[in-house]
Amino acid sequence: MELNDANLQTLTEYLQKTLNPDPLVRRPAEKFLESVEGNQNYPLLLLTALEKSQDEVIRVCAAVTFKNYIKRNWRIVEDEPNKISDPDRTAIKANIVNLMLTSPEQIQKQLSDAISIIGREDFPQKWPDLLTEMVTRFQSGDFHIINGVLRTAHSLFKRYRHEFKSNELWLEIKLVLDTFAQPLTELFKATIDLCQTHATDVNALKVLFSSLTLISKLFYSLNFQDLPEFFEDNMETWMTHFHNLLTLDNKLLQTDDEEEAGLLELLKSQICDNAALYAQKYDEEFQPYLPRFVTAIWNLLVTTGQEVKYDLLVSNAIQFLASVCERPHYKHLFEDQNTLTSICEKVIVPNMEFRSADEEAFEDNSEEYIIRDLEGSDIDTRRRAACDLVRGLCRFFEGPVTAIFSGYVNSMLTEYAKNPAVNWKHKDAAIYLVTSLASKAQTQKHGITQANELVNLSEFFVNHILTDLRSPNVNEFPVLKADAIKYVMTFRSQLPKEQLLETVPLLVAHLRAESTVQHTYAAHALERLFTMRGPSNSTLLSATEIAPFTEQLLNNLFNAMAIPGSSENEYIMKAIMRSFSLLQETIVPYVPTLIGQLTQKLLLVSKNPSKPHFNHYLFESLCLSIRITCKANPVSVGSFEEALFPVFTEILQSDVQEFVPYVFQVMSLLLEIHTSPIPSSYMALFPHLLQPILWERTGNIPPLVRLLQAYLEKGGATIANSAADKIPGLLGVFQKLIASKANDHQGFYLLNSIVEHMPPESITQYRKQIFILLFQRLQSSKTTKFIKSFLVFINLYCVKYGAIALQEIFDDIQPKMFGMVLEKIVIPEVQKVSGQVEKKICAVGITKILTECPAMMDTEYTKLWPLVLQALIGLFELPEDDSIPDDEHFIDIEDTPGYQTAFSQLAFAGKKEHDPIGDAVNNPKILLAQSLHKLSTACPGRVPSMLSTSLNAEALQFLQGYLQAASVQLV
């Protein structure tokens, strides 16, 4: 792909088309760009379009496309093609910083992200001059450029906040500090001086304050892992300025907007974060500065209004107090009863109020509300911060704090009782207060696991929660209903079972509520209750106890998806999945109707998959319907295929990438249920499954291998008879997989199924080539995972075709090869094989090698016989050897490049473990004893003499035990 005007023009035209709302124009353009992204110069053409195009929209589109291209392809993953050539990589790194700094802000942000993605892989080893190039730009004096540098540095360094400690990380942070800390401090001081010089110039102040906010964020990232010496030495400078900025109030920077936080709020929020970090992690060094920060932040809290724009600032300020009050040596600051009362009255209670902005979110932006309230992404909300402060204070002052708040709770509930229609928000705040007071420890799985003993949860439930749940009008006071449902969900591990059972039909009724938040909470609460474990590890609520509500439950769940705003509600779909799983055969009468609704839903979402969790639970629910129904009646598998195949065909033809791996899993499940020969509808699809393009995507590999295994299991003979020309294609798949360290085990799964299920004559001509491929891979990269799989395969081959066939094929490839494999692989490595079935295959295979292979008795291989037997007894008796050489510790971890659909395993499509030997051998130790007995009868005297001269005493003792158990002896 040359860097010329014609190519630039073509690229621009395709970029233009990717913005077209019509999918028939947009999709082919996206496919075209995807098809050329592996060509050399492609990224440089994108950067040229971004720099030179006259059309602003095309420039932004090129920037976004470039960033996504970098995100998908920059990381070099073993076994994956490297789509970016080395010259392109060098050219990108040489030009991108300058291009980013001279671009308009919208493009600057995209390129800044791209730099941080490249930096994550290449900095500092492969991009040593990145920081120096950036730091020299501080001298430019141009704040557009300076902010570009700061923004990039922020996206580069913010990962230090959540990286695990390691030597590489320390070295990298040290390098960054050596280059960056001093210039950053100088820039900080200079920017503050400039703020004073330009105190009356609002435009200059806006730029300077956004720089100060970025500098404060960088301070947080660079100080997160440990307190660097440089910042400890310069703490006076930083803390004095931070404190001054906290108390600063510049009228010019105040905004009229009630929703959007202004620059002043953003800066102060970050400073509260920085102070909280120091108070928590470096309290000793920070002690001299703490009191003045507590005072400044307290004043900030009592003077800041209730508007939404202050939410982040207020929540960070409260979080600062929360982190301080939890530390034992700051305890004295809060001991005074008046201080506690003042905090409760002026900070906690006002910030727990349900404001009109919250009400708007509840009604009009329910998805956002649910994510914040249910999933804990409410980190920056006032309520969450106030709740954390209550918990922090309860750590040392549980008694006094509970007493103060009990008074508030009672007065709020009294206010509510006077006039519920007007004062319902008082009850909402009361419930929230009780929840934050009572909650000590919490997990996603169990809700609250440790509660404040001073709060009677069960009594509060009966007096104040049940009344709302029982209310006949489910649409009245939706916020209070949602609160009541959330209370049940939160304290489910603390409430007695009778009370939980009592709530089930009430929750089922709330699924009909018009409010999205309310019916979502009801679905989520039911799902959580259905997963609770009882004393004997079964579910706390049994299928029998829930059965009376089945029809209402399923009807209401499915109908809830018809309520506007919930057509792809993941909580409802998860509750459907969990209800199926709990109720099992109780749902069979309803499945014919439900499968139609699920299929319809699948068809709809496949047009534009946007909710990955919803889609996952939808496929899980399909698998459950199939499993539960076919368990009772295997013949009904046909009616599922009738319902599902038209949709599956459409998904595969339209290549809906997100859904293809799921479709393969459900098809495997259906095919595995079949008892008769493989249906023709499946055979028609078989050739398509071997197309190389399908195997390019990592996410397709596990489900496709499983599907091919199902084909082989159900129709090995059919494939040999009617699709023999496809066997080379099948082996081509094996060859591709075996070459990859990440996927070689999948290649072996396929190969084992071929050996087990294909008629022997159908693969005779390919056998030698299969072994040659395996040996080539052994020579090029011999990993523990590969060796374990290789051992299982050769032993399965031995079980299937006999020990003589195994020895002959090895020695046919190269004379004496069989002995080398025994000596170099079987004897030293068999101890590493893991898994019951795998060990059984190896034991039976090795027994056959020892007792059914004449070459082991009469050639130079004979010297290996006792060693092989010793290794087999070791496999039976010694603990598994799970050591892995250091250099391959991370090979098993599949790092799929950013953009690919990763494989999502469907729990309810799970495959039963398959034992190819089955009942033919129940106890491999007995088999060994019987086989040795048979061998010794055939050549008397040989076996005992080999044992007595070469086997160690311990192994001999174990062997005697096997012989006794089998009631045989050696002659």
Side-chain angles (χ1 to χ4, degrees), residues 794-831:
I794 61 172
N795 283 298
L796 180 67
Y797 187 93
C798 179
V799 172
K800 189 77 183 162
Y801 298 129
I804 297 174
L806 183 71
Q807 175 249 318
E808 284 176 350
I809 199 161
F810 277 141
D811 288 346
D812 188 28
I813 292 169
Q814 188 184 316
K816 300 188 182 156
M817 173 72 94
F818 183 57
M820 283 191 276
V821 171
L822 291 177
E823 194 174 354
K824 298 279 192 299
I825 297 174
V826 176
I827 294 167
E829 306 284 7
V830 75
Q831 206 58 47

Coordinates of all heavy atoms in Angstrom, one line a residue, residues 794-831:
I794 N -0.7 -40.4 22.4 CA -0.1 -41.6 22.0 C -0.6 -42.9 22.8 O -0.7 -43.9 22.2 CB 1.5 -41.6 22.1 CG1 2.0 -41.3 23.5 CG2 2.0 -40.6 21.1 CD1 3.5 -41.5 23.6
N795 N -1.0 -42.6 24.0 CA -1.6 -43.8 24.7 C -3.0 -44.1 24.3 O -3.4 -45.3 24.2 CB -1.6 -43.5 26.2 CG -0.2 -43.7 26.8 OD1 0.4 -44.8 26.8 ND2 0.5 -42.6 27.3
L796 N -3.8 -43.1 23.9 CA -5.1 -43.3 23.3 C -4.9 -44.1 22.0 O -5.7 -45.1 21.7 CB -5.8 -42.0 23.1 CG -7.2 -42.2 22.5 CD1 -8.2 -42.9 23.5 CD2 -7.8 -40.8 22.1
Y797 N -4.0 -43.7 21.2 CA -3.7 -44.4 19.9 C -3.3 -45.8 20.2 O -3.8 -46.8 19.5 CB -2.5 -43.7 19.3 CG -2.2 -44.1 17.9 CD1 -2.7 -43.5 16.8 CD2 -1.3 -45.2 17.6 CE1 -2.4 -43.9 15.5 CE2 -1.0 -45.6 16.3 CZ -1.6 -45.0 15.2 OH -1.3 -45.4 14.0
C798 N -2.6 -46.1 21.2 CA -2.1 -47.4 21.6 C -3.4 -48.3 22.1 O -3.5 -49.4 21.7 CB -1.1 -47.3 22.7 SG -0.6 -48.9 23.3
V799 N -4.3 -47.6 22.8 CA -5.5 -48.3 23.3 C -6.3 -48.7 22.1 O -6.9 -49.8 22.0 CB -6.3 -47.4 24.3 CG1 -7.6 -48.0 24.6 CG2 -5.4 -47.2 25.6
K800 N -6.4 -47.8 21.1 CA -7.3 -47.9 20.0 C -6.8 -48.9 19.0 O -7.5 -49.8 18.5 CB -7.5 -46.6 19.4 CG -8.6 -46.5 18.3 CD -10.0 -46.5 18.9 CE -11.0 -46.6 17.8 NZ -12.3 -47.0 18.3
Y801 N -5.5 -48.8 18.6 CA -4.9 -49.5 17.5 C -3.9 -50.6 17.9 O -3.4 -51.4 17.1 CB -4.2 -48.6 16.5 CG -5.1 -47.6 15.9 CD1 -4.8 -46.2 15.9 CD2 -6.3 -48.0 15.3 CE1 -5.6 -45.3 15.3 CE2 -7.2 -47.0 14.7 CZ -6.8 -45.7 14.7 OH -7.7 -44.8 14.1
G802 N -3.6 -50.6 19.2 CA -2.7 -51.6 19.8 C -1.3 -51.1 19.9 O -0.8 -50.2 19.1
A803 N -0.5 -51.8 20.8 CA 0.9 -51.3 21.1 C 1.8 -51.6 19.9 O 2.7 -50.8 19.6 CB 1.4 -52.1 22.3
I804 N 1.5 -52.7 19.1 CA 2.4 -53.0 18.0 C 2.3 -51.9 17.0 O 3.3 -51.4 16.4 CB 2.1 -54.4 17.4 CG1 2.3 -55.5 18.4 CG2 2.9 -54.6 16.1 CD1 1.9 -56.8 18.0
A805 N 1.0 -51.4 16.7 CA 0.8 -50.4 15.7 C 1.6 -49.1 16.1 O 2.1 -48.4 15.3 CB -0.7 -50.1 15.6
L806 N 1.5 -48.8 17.4 CA 2.2 -47.6 17.9 C 3.7 -47.7 17.7 O 4.4 -46.8 17.2 CB 1.9 -47.4 19.4 CG 2.5 -46.1 20.0 CD1 1.8 -44.9 19.5 CD2 2.4 -46.1 21.5
Q807 N 4.3 -48.9 18.1 CA 5.7 -49.0 18.0 C 6.1 -49.0 16.5 O 7.1 -48.4 16.1 CB 6.1 -50.4 18.6 CG 7.6 -50.7 18.4 CD 7.8 -51.9 17.5 OE1 7.0 -52.9 17.5 NE2 8.7 -51.9 16.6
E808 N 5.3 -49.6 15.6 CA 5.7 -49.6 14.2 C 5.6 -48.3 13.5 O 6.5 -47.9 12.7 CB 4.7 -50.6 13.5 CG 5.1 -52.1 13.7 CD 4.2 -53.1 13.1 OE1 3.1 -52.6 12.6 OE2 4.5 -54.3 13.1
I809 N 4.6 -47.5 13.9 CA 4.5 -46.2 13.3 C 5.7 -45.3 13.7 O 6.2 -44.5 12.9 CB 3.1 -45.5 13.5 CG1 2.9 -44.4 12.4 CG2 3.0 -44.9 14.9 CD1 1.5 -44.0 12.3
F810 N 6.1 -45.4 14.9 CA 7.3 -44.6 15.4 C 8.5 -45.0 14.6 O 9.3 -44.2 14.1 CB 7.5 -44.8 16.9 CG 6.6 -43.9 17.8 CD1 6.1 -44.4 18.9 CD2 6.4 -42.6 17.4 CE1 5.3 -43.5 19.8 CE2 5.6 -41.7 18.2 CZ 5.0 -42.2 19.4
D811 N 8.8 -46.3 14.6 CA 10.0 -46.8 14.0 C 10.0 -46.7 12.5 O 11.0 -46.7 11.8 CB 10.2 -48.3 14.4 CG 10.7 -48.4 15.9 OD1 11.0 -47.3 16.4 OD2 10.6 -49.5 16.5
D812 N 8.8 -46.5 11.9 CA 8.7 -46.3 10.5 C 9.1 -44.9 10.1 O 9.7 -44.6 9.1 CB 7.2 -46.5 10.1 CG 7.0 -46.5 8.6 OD1 8.0 -46.9 7.9 OD2 5.9 -46.2 8.1
I813 N 8.8 -43.9 11.0 CA 9.3 -42.6 10.8 C 10.8 -42.5 10.8 O 11.4 -41.8 10.0 CB 8.6 -41.6 11.8 CG1 7.1 -41.5 11.6 CG2 9.2 -40.2 11.8 CD1 6.3 -40.9 12.7
Q814 N 11.4 -43.2 11.8 CA 12.8 -43.1 12.0 C 13.2 -44.4 12.9 O 12.5 -44.6 13.9 CB 13.2 -41.9 12.7 CG 14.7 -41.6 12.8 CD 15.0 -40.4 13.7 OE1 14.4 -39.4 13.5 NE2 16.0 -40.5 14.6
P815 N 14.2 -45.1 12.4 CA 14.5 -46.3 13.2 C 14.8 -46.0 14.7 O 15.4 -44.9 14.9 CB 15.8 -46.9 12.5 CG 15.7 -46.3 11.1 CD 15.0 -45.0 11.2
K816 N 14.4 -46.8 15.6 CA 14.6 -46.7 17.1 C 13.9 -45.4 17.7 O 14.2 -45.1 18.8 CB 16.1 -46.6 17.4 CG 16.8 -47.8 16.9 CD 18.3 -47.8 17.4 CE 19.0 -49.1 16.9 NZ 20.4 -48.9 16.8
M817 N 13.0 -44.8 16.9 CA 12.3 -43.7 17.4 C 11.4 -44.0 18.6 O 11.3 -43.3 19.6 CB 11.4 -43.1 16.3 CG 10.4 -42.0 16.7 SD 11.3 -40.5 17.0 CE 11.1 -39.7 15.5
F818 N 10.8 -45.3 18.6 CA 9.9 -45.7 19.7 C 10.7 -45.7 21.0 O 10.2 -45.1 22.0 CB 9.4 -47.1 19.4 CG 8.5 -47.7 20.4 CD1 7.3 -47.0 20.7 CD2 8.7 -48.9 21.0 CE1 6.4 -47.5 21.6 CE2 7.8 -49.4 22.0 CZ 6.6 -48.7 22.2
G819 N 11.9 -46.2 21.0 CA 12.7 -46.2 22.2 C 13.0 -44.8 22.7 O 13.0 -44.5 23.9
M820 N 13.3 -43.9 21.7 CA 13.6 -42.5 22.1 C 12.4 -41.8 22.8 O 12.5 -41.1 23.8 CB 14.0 -41.7 20.9 CG 15.5 -42.0 20.5 SD 16.0 -40.8 19.2 CE 15.4 -41.5 17.7
V821 N 11.2 -42.1 22.2 CA 10.0 -41.5 22.8 C 9.8 -42.0 24.3 O 9.5 -41.3 25.2 CB 8.7 -41.8 22.0 CG1 7.4 -41.4 22.7 CG2 8.8 -41.1 20.6
L822 N 10.0 -43.3 24.4 CA 9.8 -43.9 25.8 C 10.8 -43.3 26.7 O 10.5 -42.9 27.8 CB 10.0 -45.4 25.7 CG 8.9 -46.2 25.0 CD1 9.3 -47.7 25.0 CD2 7.5 -46.1 25.7
E823 N 12.1 -43.2 26.3 CA 13.2 -42.8 27.2 C 13.1 -41.3 27.5 O 13.3 -40.8 28.6 CB 14.5 -43.1 26.5 CG 15.7 -43.0 27.4 CD 16.9 -43.5 26.7 OE1 16.9 -44.0 25.6 OE2 18.0 -43.3 27.4
K824 N 12.8 -40.5 26.4 CA 12.9 -39.0 26.6 C 11.6 -38.4 27.0 O 11.5 -37.3 27.5 CB 13.4 -38.3 25.3 CG 14.7 -38.8 24.8 CD 15.8 -38.0 25.6 CE 17.2 -38.1 25.0 NZ 17.7 -39.5 24.9
I825 N 10.4 -39.1 26.7 CA 9.2 -38.4 27.0 C 8.3 -39.2 28.0 O 8.0 -38.7 29.1 CB 8.4 -38.1 25.7 CG1 9.2 -37.2 24.8 CG2 7.0 -37.5 26.0 CD1 8.6 -36.9 23.5
V826 N 8.0 -40.5 27.7 CA 7.1 -41.2 28.5 C 7.7 -41.4 29.9 O 7.0 -41.0 30.9 CB 6.8 -42.6 27.9 CG1 5.9 -43.4 28.9 CG2 6.1 -42.4 26.6
I827 N 8.9 -41.9 30.1 CA 9.4 -42.2 31.4 C 9.6 -41.0 32.2 O 9.1 -40.9 33.4 CB 10.8 -43.0 31.3 CG1 10.4 -44.4 30.7 CG2 11.4 -43.2 32.6 CD1 11.7 -45.2 30.2
P828 N 10.2 -39.9 31.7 CA 10.4 -38.7 32.6 C 9.2 -37.8 32.8 O 9.1 -37.1 33.8 CB 11.6 -37.9 31.9 CG 11.5 -38.3 30.5 CD 11.0 -39.8 30.4
E829 N 8.3 -37.9 31.8 CA 7.2 -36.9 31.9 C 5.8 -37.4 32.3 O 4.9 -36.6 32.5 CB 7.1 -36.2 30.5 CG 8.4 -35.6 29.9 CD 8.8 -34.3 30.6 OE1 8.1 -33.9 31.6 OE2 9.7 -33.6 30.1
V830 N 5.6 -38.7 32.3 CA 4.2 -39.1 32.5 C 3.6 -38.7 33.8 O 2.4 -38.6 34.0 CB 4.1 -40.7 32.3 CG1 4.7 -41.4 33.5 CG2 2.7 -41.1 32.0
Q831 N 4.5 -38.4 34.8 CA 4.1 -37.9 36.1 C 3.3 -36.6 36.0 O 2.6 -36.2 36.9 CB 5.3 -37.8 37.0 CG 5.1 -37.9 38.5 CD 4.4 -39.2 38.8 OE1 4.9 -40.3 38.4 NE2 3.4 -39.2 39.6

